[in-house]
Amino acid sequence: MTATTHTTQPGALDPEETMSRDQIEAIQTERTAAILDYAYRRVPLYKQKFDDHGVHPSDFVELADLAKFPYTTKEDLRVTYPFGMFAVPREEVVRIHASSGTTGRATVVGYTQQDLDDWAKLGARCFRISGVKPGWRVHNAYGYGLFTGGLGAHAAIERLGATVIPMSGGQTEKQITLINDFEPEAIAATPTYLLTIGDAMQRKGMDPRKTSIKVAVLGAEPWTQQMREELEDMWDIDACDIYGLSEVMGPGVAGESNETKDGSHIWEDHFRPEVIDPFDERRVLADGEAGELVFTTLTKQALPIIRYRTHDLTTLEPGTARPGHRRIGRITGRSDDMIILRGVNLFPTQIEELILKVPGLSPHFTLEITRPDRMDQLSVKVERRADCTSDRAHAAAAELHQLIKIHVGSSCQIDVLDPGSLERSIGKMRRIYDLRSK
Ligand code: DLL
């Protein structure tokens, strides 16, 4: 037998997972000081940003001092494209990922061997806390390739000691065949793609509740408690969240417990989160206050990231299943997905929540924004459920209209469509179609 590179037994908790808050903060203080110094010495952009900001790594003494340091944004990665923010010689970077983004250049991220090892370890924590067991088969339907989802979850599943089925995203028919034939106990996918697979099974007369799947580890896009209930009911499973972003690592920054199902625990021995006021970035908010999530990586070698502005809107909550590590509250959405409709701020998750309160409506929906007569107009295009007749669909549309008026404070047009009318997600679902001419 050869020795493995990791010391803990598959399935056992890492010692850091059970540390107290004080122990975690002691580690964070030490690691933040080290990473600020490392980034300053090794990445010219950080040296310049810190100098311009009039701050030096030696100004960091305690965790509150992190607020003195400047933020990092996607733009910083774009201007240094492709490898300008790497802190190690290029040859030490053993893996590259990239996210395409909707506009401009891709953002490129890199990993050393140690970074990959940490990523697998933290990803394994996520699958384990969600109830996935060593020895289980895990069907991985996150896309493989430059996206971090596929390969990130892949390494995590293997590290846990489970069997990974590297299916990737798309080819829904084949997904169904492999789920039936290989009988996985767990699945990893975006929530909307799990919905697509379930929907395709039902159309073929199969019942997703009868598959072998018991746990789903879902992330890469915002989803609501209502969507959790929808998927748990559709598949007869426990559906848990996994959170991450490429610039900070990939899937595995935070994972949700199947026992508490109360939001993902951030692995705070490797990441220091903050929530800030997105409109006044000097204000770091208290736990429980809603704002934009910001991360500092504490151990990453190839791409140390200081105070990265994620644009994800949420709160930080005290740890429960892992008391030393705080949780991400509900993610309302990304600030760049916020629709401003005649002065009212609106997120697709709010509409998802309301749609799923109306019995005849399905979770398949998109939002279209137009500007006829120079007035913003939102139309919600939503499929009725197969068991909802067209007559009842009319009443369902009226009910949704009323709910949106009450809860969002805005009128909109509701188009109830026949089942199967809208394009299905194969990964991250695009909800918003903004057709206003810019
Ligand atoms: O989506 C990494 C990932 C893959 C996470 C698979 C989980 C599972 P990016 O493509 O860089 O990385 O997109 C990151 O996706 O800033 C959030 O806006 C969103 N996001 C990721 N996970 C969640 C989640 C991957 N659990 C961006 N809930 C992030 C809500 C999420 N939004």
Side-chain angles (χ1 to χ4, degrees):
M1 273 287 273
T2 50
T4 51
T5 51
H6 48 103
T7 47
T8 42
Q9 292 296 314
L13 297 193
D14 295 341
E16 296 83 358
E17 282 183 84
T18 52
M19 281 182 175
S20 68
R21 186 72 204 151
D22 285 349
Q23 286 174 307
I24 292 289
E25 289 195 348
I27 289 184
Q28 287 187 329
T29 308
E30 196 182 302
R31 291 184 170 176
T32 307
I35 207 77
L36 288 169
D37 181 60
Y38 178 84
Y40 186 78
R41 282 187 291 105
R42 294 201 175 207
V43 183
L45 183 108
Y46 279 124
K47 178 168 187 334
Q48 175 157 13
K49 280 174 80 104
F50 289 12
D51 289 350
D52 290 350
H53 212 72
V55 70
H56 186 269
S58 59
D59 295 328
F60 178 89
V61 178
E62 56 184 19
L63 286 170
D65 295 330
L66 186 56
K68 297 176 183 164
F69 289 81
Y71 295 104
T72 305
T73 63
K74 217 178 191 50
E75 191 52 26
D76 292 319
L77 284 157
R78 291 215 173 106
V79 297
T80 53
Y81 174 89
F83 306 140
M85 283 184 73
F86 288 1
V88 294
R90 231 271 316 121
E91 311 75 66
E92 287 176 31
V93 174
V94 298
R95 173 91 69 78
I96 299 285
H97 280 284
S99 68
S100 55
T102 41
T103 50
R105 285 167 167 172
T107 45
V108 178
V109 298
Y111 305 79
T112 63
Q113 191 56 55
Q114 179 65 48
D115 292 336
L116 288 185
D117 205 50
D118 286 338
W119 186 11
K121 176 184 80 177
L122 299 181
R125 282 189 198 173
C126 293
F127 280 82
R128 184 171 55 227
I129 197 174
S130 297
V132 177
K133 305 270 183 277
W136 278 17
R137 282 149 286 186
V138 187
H139 180 103
N140 185 11
Y142 287 119
Y144 281 65
L146 287 172
F147 175 51
T148 53
L151 286 162
H154 183 102
I157 295 160
E158 286 185 344
R159 175 60 61 90
L160 178 63
T163 306
V164 61
I165 300 164
M167 174 58 215
S168 193
Q171 301 186 69
T172 305
E173 290 293 311
K174 189 164 173 191
Q175 306 266 357
I176 296 172
T177 307
L178 294 196
I179 290 169
N180 285 330
D181 294 353
F182 294 178
E183 301 185 334
E185 287 86 354
I187 188 165
T190 63
T192 54
Y193 193 46
L194 187 62
L195 186 68
T196 299
I197 301 173
D199 180 59
M201 288 183 90
Q202 287 170 338
R203 276 160 198 277
K204 291 163 85 73
M206 298 172 182
D207 184 357
R209 295 179 65 86
K210 300 220 164 79
T211 70
S212 48
I213 297 173
K214 297 187 252 204
V215 172
V217 181
L218 309 173
E221 61 186 1
W223 56 305
T224 59
Q225 176 62 23
Q226 285 71 13
M227 183 67 106
R228 187 202 306 268
E229 286 162 17
E230 176 83 23
L231 290 168
E232 290 191 333
D233 185 52
M234 178 186 230
W235 287 86
D236 190 21
I237 52 167
D238 279 320
C240 293
D241 185 64
I242 183 168
Y243 172 89
L245 64 165
S246 1
E247 294 83 354
V248 171
M249 191 177 73
V253 173
E256 186 174 46
S257 157
N258 67 330
E259 280 164 21
T260 52
K261 289 191 189 159
D262 53 359
S264 283
H265 281 83
I266 300 166
W267 304 122
E268 287 207 58
D269 46 328
H270 289 263
F271 309 102
R272 170 73 186 176
E274 299 168 272
V275 167
I276 63 160
D277 181 342
F279 305 108
D280 178 1
E281 58 177 41
R282 288 162 307 181
R283 286 188 64 222
V284 176
L285 303 179
D287 286 2
E289 284 190 273
E292 178 180 339
L293 195 53
V294 166
F295 280 106
T296 298
T297 63
L298 303 181
T299 48
K300 271 189 36 215
Q301 296 178 330
L303 187 67
I305 288 276
I306 310 300
R307 305 194 83 204
Y308 185 74
R309 291 193 60 166
T310 64
H311 292 287
D312 291 327
L313 300 174
T314 187
T315 55
L316 279 175
E317 305 289 342
T320 50
R322 300 286 183 275
H325 302 259
R326 280 172 294 175
R327 282 170 300 127
I328 302 176
R330 201 176 90 85
I331 297 187
T332 342
R334 296 181 53 80
S335 51
D336 28 22
D337 273 352
M338 186 173 80
I339 300 168
I340 303 179
L341 189 71
R342 290 175 245 131
V344 177
N345 298 346
L346 173 69
F347 289 97
T349 49
Q350 286 171 279
I351 302 291
E352 179 175 296
E353 232 174 77
L354 298 175
I355 287 176
L356 291 177
K357 284 191 175 147
V358 180
L361 300 181
S362 81
H364 301 286
F365 76 98
T366 58
L367 305 175
E368 219 176 78
I369 313 160
T370 51
R371 183 175 274 168
D373 308 324
R374 281 186 277 149
M375 271 285 273
D376 289 342
Q377 165 80 42
L378 171 72
S379 44
V380 179
K381 301 194 177 307
V382 53
E383 291 178 16
R384 62 181 166 84
R385 291 191 192 266
D387 59 2
C388 170
T389 59
S390 343
D391 283 359
R392 283 187 21 233
H394 206 72
E399 193 179 337
L400 180 61
H401 186 267
Q402 188 62 9
L403 281 174
I404 293 177
K405 185 130 203 193
I406 294 168
H407 293 279
V408 180
S410 202
S411 288
C412 60
Q413 184 182 322
I414 314 284
D415 297 327
V416 180
L417 310 173
D418 288 340
S421 312
L422 292 171
E423 201 180 315
R424 293 292 184 257
S425 157
I426 53 163
K428 289 179 194 262
M429 171 84 184
R430 179 173 171 202
R431 292 278 190 215
I432 304 173
Y433 292 81
D434 190 343
L435 307 178
R436 292 173 291 193
S437 44
K438 294 276 154 32

PDB file of all heavy atoms in Angstrom, residues 17 26 29 31 33 102 107 186 196 212 225 234 316 332 341 343-344 409 432:
ATOM      1  N   GLU A  17     -13.028  21.372  11.074  1.00  0.00           N
ATOM      2  CA  GLU A  17     -14.486  21.510  10.976  1.00  0.00           C
ATOM      3  C   GLU A  17     -15.139  21.646  12.341  1.00  0.00           C
ATOM      4  O   GLU A  17     -16.206  22.232  12.468  1.00  0.00           O
ATOM      5  CB  GLU A  17     -15.086  20.280  10.275  1.00  0.00           C
ATOM      6  CG  GLU A  17     -14.911  20.300   8.780  1.00  0.00           C
ATOM      7  CD  GLU A  17     -15.575  19.097   8.140  1.00  0.00           C
ATOM      8  OE1 GLU A  17     -16.781  19.135   7.879  1.00  0.00           O
ATOM      9  OE2 GLU A  17     -14.866  18.103   7.894  1.00  0.00           O
ATOM     10  N   ALA A  26      -8.530  32.696  15.434  1.00  0.00           N
ATOM     11  CA  ALA A  26      -7.072  32.736  15.656  1.00  0.00           C
ATOM     12  C   ALA A  26      -6.346  32.304  14.375  1.00  0.00           C
ATOM     13  O   ALA A  26      -5.380  32.942  13.938  1.00  0.00           O
ATOM     14  CB  ALA A  26      -6.701  31.833  16.827  1.00  0.00           C
ATOM     15  N   THR A  29      -6.646  35.094  11.769  1.00  0.00           N
ATOM     16  CA  THR A  29      -5.778  36.257  12.016  1.00  0.00           C
ATOM     17  C   THR A  29      -4.366  35.964  11.500  1.00  0.00           C
ATOM     18  O   THR A  29      -3.781  36.759  10.763  1.00  0.00           O
ATOM     19  CB  THR A  29      -5.749  36.579  13.534  1.00  0.00           C
ATOM     20  OG1 THR A  29      -7.098  36.676  13.982  1.00  0.00           O
ATOM     21  CG2 THR A  29      -5.017  37.869  13.818  1.00  0.00           C
ATOM     22  N   ARG A  31      -3.468  33.665   9.299  1.00  0.00           N
ATOM     23  CA  ARG A  31      -3.428  33.433   7.849  1.00  0.00           C
ATOM     24  C   ARG A  31      -3.678  34.708   7.048  1.00  0.00           C
ATOM     25  O   ARG A  31      -3.146  34.870   5.955  1.00  0.00           O
ATOM     26  CB  ARG A  31      -4.435  32.347   7.455  1.00  0.00           C
ATOM     27  CG  ARG A  31      -4.000  30.982   7.967  1.00  0.00           C
ATOM     28  CD  ARG A  31      -4.917  29.870   7.507  1.00  0.00           C
ATOM     29  NE  ARG A  31      -4.316  28.573   7.820  1.00  0.00           N
ATOM     30  CZ  ARG A  31      -4.909  27.401   7.618  1.00  0.00           C
ATOM     31  NH1 ARG A  31      -6.134  27.352   7.115  1.00  0.00           N
ATOM     32  NH2 ARG A  31      -4.288  26.277   7.914  1.00  0.00           N
ATOM     33  N   ALA A  33      -2.787  37.773   7.920  1.00  0.00           N
ATOM     34  CA  ALA A  33      -1.526  38.528   7.942  1.00  0.00           C
ATOM     35  C   ALA A  33      -0.572  37.955   6.894  1.00  0.00           C
ATOM     36  O   ALA A  33       0.050  38.701   6.123  1.00  0.00           O
ATOM     37  CB  ALA A  33      -0.897  38.450   9.330  1.00  0.00           C
ATOM     38  N   THR A 102     -20.555  37.432 -19.205  1.00  0.00           N
ATOM     39  CA  THR A 102     -21.459  37.805 -20.295  1.00  0.00           C
ATOM     40  C   THR A 102     -20.828  38.852 -21.197  1.00  0.00           C
ATOM     41  O   THR A 102     -21.118  38.926 -22.371  1.00  0.00           O
ATOM     42  CB  THR A 102     -22.796  38.321 -19.728  1.00  0.00           C
ATOM     43  OG1 THR A 102     -22.496  39.131 -18.602  1.00  0.00           O
ATOM     44  CG2 THR A 102     -23.699  37.187 -19.338  1.00  0.00           C
ATOM     45  N   THR A 107     -12.488  35.620 -17.227  1.00  0.00           N
ATOM     46  CA  THR A 107     -11.574  35.740 -16.095  1.00  0.00           C
ATOM     47  C   THR A 107     -10.924  34.378 -15.895  1.00  0.00           C
ATOM     48  O   THR A 107     -11.592  33.347 -15.889  1.00  0.00           O
ATOM     49  CB  THR A 107     -12.301  36.169 -14.808  1.00  0.00           C
ATOM     50  OG1 THR A 107     -13.476  35.406 -14.695  1.00  0.00           O
ATOM     51  CG2 THR A 107     -12.669  37.627 -14.831  1.00  0.00           C
ATOM     52  N   ALA A 186     -26.406   9.616  -4.995  1.00  0.00           N
ATOM     53  CA  ALA A 186     -26.428  11.084  -4.933  1.00  0.00           C
ATOM     54  C   ALA A 186     -26.200  11.682  -6.311  1.00  0.00           C
ATOM     55  O   ALA A 186     -25.666  11.018  -7.212  1.00  0.00           O
ATOM     56  CB  ALA A 186     -25.357  11.577  -3.961  1.00  0.00           C
ATOM     57  N   THR A 196     -34.802  19.966 -14.816  1.00  0.00           N
ATOM     58  CA  THR A 196     -34.891  19.559 -16.226  1.00  0.00           C
ATOM     59  C   THR A 196     -34.861  18.036 -16.353  1.00  0.00           C
ATOM     60  O   THR A 196     -35.647  17.445 -17.095  1.00  0.00           O
ATOM     61  CB  THR A 196     -33.709  20.158 -17.034  1.00  0.00           C
ATOM     62  OG1 THR A 196     -33.800  21.573 -16.956  1.00  0.00           O
ATOM     63  CG2 THR A 196     -33.730  19.714 -18.483  1.00  0.00           C
ATOM     64  N   SER A 212     -32.678   5.671  -7.502  1.00  0.00           N
ATOM     65  CA  SER A 212     -31.871   5.347  -6.318  1.00  0.00           C
ATOM     66  C   SER A 212     -31.367   6.602  -5.587  1.00  0.00           C
ATOM     67  O   SER A 212     -30.785   6.491  -4.507  1.00  0.00           O
ATOM     68  CB  SER A 212     -30.674   4.523  -6.785  1.00  0.00           C
ATOM     69  OG  SER A 212     -30.078   5.170  -7.912  1.00  0.00           O
ATOM     70  N   GLN A 225     -36.103  28.385  -1.100  1.00  0.00           N
ATOM     71  CA  GLN A 225     -36.650  27.317  -0.256  1.00  0.00           C
ATOM     72  C   GLN A 225     -37.796  26.607  -0.997  1.00  0.00           C
ATOM     73  O   GLN A 225     -37.925  25.385  -0.927  1.00  0.00           O
ATOM     74  CB  GLN A 225     -37.131  27.939   1.062  1.00  0.00           C
ATOM     75  CG  GLN A 225     -37.805  26.976   2.015  1.00  0.00           C
ATOM     76  CD  GLN A 225     -36.887  25.844   2.486  1.00  0.00           C
ATOM     77  OE1 GLN A 225     -35.651  25.964   2.474  1.00  0.00           O
ATOM     78  NE2 GLN A 225     -37.479  24.725   2.871  1.00  0.00           N
ATOM     79  N   MET A 234     -40.265  16.218  -5.945  1.00  0.00           N
ATOM     80  CA  MET A 234     -40.190  15.595  -7.269  1.00  0.00           C
ATOM     81  C   MET A 234     -39.349  14.317  -7.251  1.00  0.00           C
ATOM     82  O   MET A 234     -39.682  13.324  -7.893  1.00  0.00           O
ATOM     83  CB  MET A 234     -39.563  16.596  -8.260  1.00  0.00           C
ATOM     84  CG  MET A 234     -39.360  16.099  -9.658  1.00  0.00           C
ATOM     85  SD  MET A 234     -38.461  17.359 -10.623  1.00  0.00           S
ATOM     86  CE  MET A 234     -39.467  17.478 -12.064  1.00  0.00           C
ATOM     87  N   LEU A 316     -24.522  37.086   6.691  1.00  0.00           N
ATOM     88  CA  LEU A 316     -23.695  36.078   7.370  1.00  0.00           C
ATOM     89  C   LEU A 316     -24.414  35.715   8.660  1.00  0.00           C
ATOM     90  O   LEU A 316     -24.838  36.598   9.407  1.00  0.00           O
ATOM     91  CB  LEU A 316     -22.317  36.649   7.703  1.00  0.00           C
ATOM     92  CG  LEU A 316     -21.296  36.673   6.574  1.00  0.00           C
ATOM     93  CD1 LEU A 316     -20.029  37.379   7.040  1.00  0.00           C
ATOM     94  CD2 LEU A 316     -20.972  35.255   6.109  1.00  0.00           C
ATOM     95  N   THR A 332     -30.223  36.215  -2.149  1.00  0.00           N
ATOM     96  CA  THR A 332     -31.346  36.796  -2.905  1.00  0.00           C
ATOM     97  C   THR A 332     -31.040  36.799  -4.393  1.00  0.00           C
ATOM     98  O   THR A 332     -31.945  36.666  -5.218  1.00  0.00           O
ATOM     99  CB  THR A 332     -31.564  38.275  -2.505  1.00  0.00           C
ATOM    100  OG1 THR A 332     -30.930  38.526  -1.283  1.00  0.00           O
ATOM    101  CG2 THR A 332     -33.000  38.639  -2.478  1.00  0.00           C
ATOM    102  N   LEU A 341     -37.413  48.014 -11.838  1.00  0.00           N
ATOM    103  CA  LEU A 341     -38.639  48.142 -12.605  1.00  0.00           C
ATOM    104  C   LEU A 341     -39.410  49.347 -12.074  1.00  0.00           C
ATOM    105  O   LEU A 341     -39.954  49.297 -10.975  1.00  0.00           O
ATOM    106  CB  LEU A 341     -39.453  46.859 -12.429  1.00  0.00           C
ATOM    107  CG  LEU A 341     -40.658  46.732 -13.323  1.00  0.00           C
ATOM    108  CD1 LEU A 341     -40.252  46.487 -14.763  1.00  0.00           C
ATOM    109  CD2 LEU A 341     -41.545  45.601 -12.830  1.00  0.00           C
ATOM    110  N   GLY A 343     -38.438  51.899 -10.725  1.00  0.00           N
ATOM    111  CA  GLY A 343     -37.956  52.317  -9.404  1.00  0.00           C
ATOM    112  C   GLY A 343     -37.997  51.233  -8.336  1.00  0.00           C
ATOM    113  O   GLY A 343     -37.492  51.427  -7.237  1.00  0.00           O
ATOM    114  N   VAL A 344     -38.584  50.077  -8.660  1.00  0.00           N
ATOM    115  CA  VAL A 344     -38.663  49.003  -7.658  1.00  0.00           C
ATOM    116  C   VAL A 344     -37.591  47.958  -7.971  1.00  0.00           C
ATOM    117  O   VAL A 344     -37.448  47.530  -9.109  1.00  0.00           O
ATOM    118  CB  VAL A 344     -40.063  48.342  -7.694  1.00  0.00           C
ATOM    119  CG1 VAL A 344     -40.139  47.189  -6.712  1.00  0.00           C
ATOM    120  CG2 VAL A 344     -41.146  49.371  -7.395  1.00  0.00           C
ATOM    121  N   GLY A 409     -44.682  45.069  -5.240  1.00  0.00           N
ATOM    122  CA  GLY A 409     -45.156  46.449  -5.353  1.00  0.00           C
ATOM    123  C   GLY A 409     -45.192  46.948  -6.778  1.00  0.00           C
ATOM    124  O   GLY A 409     -45.088  48.140  -7.033  1.00  0.00           O
ATOM    125  N   ILE A 432     -33.444  36.098 -17.011  1.00  0.00           N
ATOM    126  CA  ILE A 432     -33.843  37.454 -17.414  1.00  0.00           C
ATOM    127  C   ILE A 432     -33.511  37.706 -18.879  1.00  0.00           C
ATOM    128  O   ILE A 432     -32.382  37.482 -19.315  1.00  0.00           O
ATOM    129  CB  ILE A 432     -33.101  38.510 -16.566  1.00  0.00           C
ATOM    130  CG1 ILE A 432     -33.353  38.258 -15.087  1.00  0.00           C
ATOM    131  CG2 ILE A 432     -33.512  39.921 -16.955  1.00  0.00           C
ATOM    132  CD1 ILE A 432     -32.542  39.137 -14.169  1.00  0.00           C
TER     133      ILE A 432
END
